[in-house]
Amino acid sequence: MSKHNRLDYNNYLETERKSEFGMATWVCWILALLLLLIPVRSSFLRIHTINAAQDSPALNGDVILLKRDPAHRQSPVYDTRVEIHYKGHDYTITEEGFCFTPGMYERAMESGAVPVYLNPDAPEKSVLSKGIPAREWILPSLFTLISLCLIGGGVYCRRRSR
């Protein structure tokens, strides 16, 4: 193999390597964006909604629909619709919160009313239970950490592609 052909082949390999690192850059960044937009954003929005109602007063809401899905025995899943009247407007609340217990469900079914923790800035985003358990922070934090690692990996691949 002549010296000229070897140099051309080396240039070709270098160009291919840079192109592969460039592709890896975009793959890392797209995966990080998907993780941040889908599970992390939705989890943090729900945590923010429940946190906004933490220190607010409780109103009594009238139960329109409240039923438990019997298929989920360990962690009950509820279909909830509660109506509240606040400052001359009616709002339908569908967010139970993280701490809506079977005992709260039973009391609501008996009385037809349930306490609703008001979000004064957005009454339609009020919740039926307040409190955010520590386990609810774990998954979004883990996904955020993975996304940051993917962004860092993308930056590394970007530098290698130049």
Side-chain angles (χ1 to χ4, degrees):
M1 185 179 245
S2 71
K3 185 176 181 180
H4 183 66
N5 287 342
R6 213 176 295 147
L7 289 176
D8 286 342
Y9 185 68
N10 285 343
N11 287 337
Y12 170 76
L13 287 178
E14 183 66 23
T15 304
E16 284 297 310
R17 184 187 64 82
K18 286 181 179 182
S19 130
E20 288 173 1
F21 275 113
M23 182 64 76
T25 298
W26 287 107
V27 168
C28 286
W29 288 347
I30 289 171
L31 285 175
L33 185 65
L34 287 175
L35 279 176
L36 288 173
L37 284 180
I38 298 171
V40 173
R41 182 178 179 273
S42 63
S43 294
F44 279 131
L45 282 176
R46 186 165 185 222
I47 288 171
H48 173 72
T49 299
I50 294 168
N51 193 38
Q54 287 290 88
D55 298 326
S56 64
L59 301 174
N60 276 332
D62 297 324
V63 175
I64 298 173
L65 172 71
L66 185 61
K67 62 182 179 179
R68 183 169 42 193
D69 185 2
H72 297 88
R73 294 190 188 264
Q74 290 179 344
S75 59
V77 175
Y78 300 99
D79 185 13
T80 309
R81 288 188 186 82
V82 175
E83 188 173 90
I84 61 169
H85 187 73
Y86 178 70
K87 290 188 178 180
H89 294 85
D90 291 329
Y91 299 98
T92 301
I93 310 304
T94 58
E95 176 66 57
E96 304 94 35
F98 292 117
C99 300
F100 192 73
T101 63
M104 295 169 81
Y105 168 79
E106 296 299 329
R107 284 192 298 276
M109 290 303 290
E110 289 173 6
S111 67
V114 65
V116 176
Y117 297 96
L118 181 69
N119 181 345
D121 298 330
E124 68 277 358
K125 293 183 179 178
S126 299
V127 294
L128 301 182
S129 66
K130 56 184 181 176
I132 303 169
R135 71 177 184 272
E136 296 301 327
W137 291 97
I138 294 171
L139 198 58
S141 299
L142 181 66
F143 281 148
T144 302
L145 183 63
I146 291 169
S147 296
L148 290 174
C149 289
L150 284 169
I151 290 170
V155 169
Y156 172 78
C157 289
R158 182 73 174 174
R159 287 187 177 188
R160 292 288 307 253
S161 71
R162 290 186 175 184

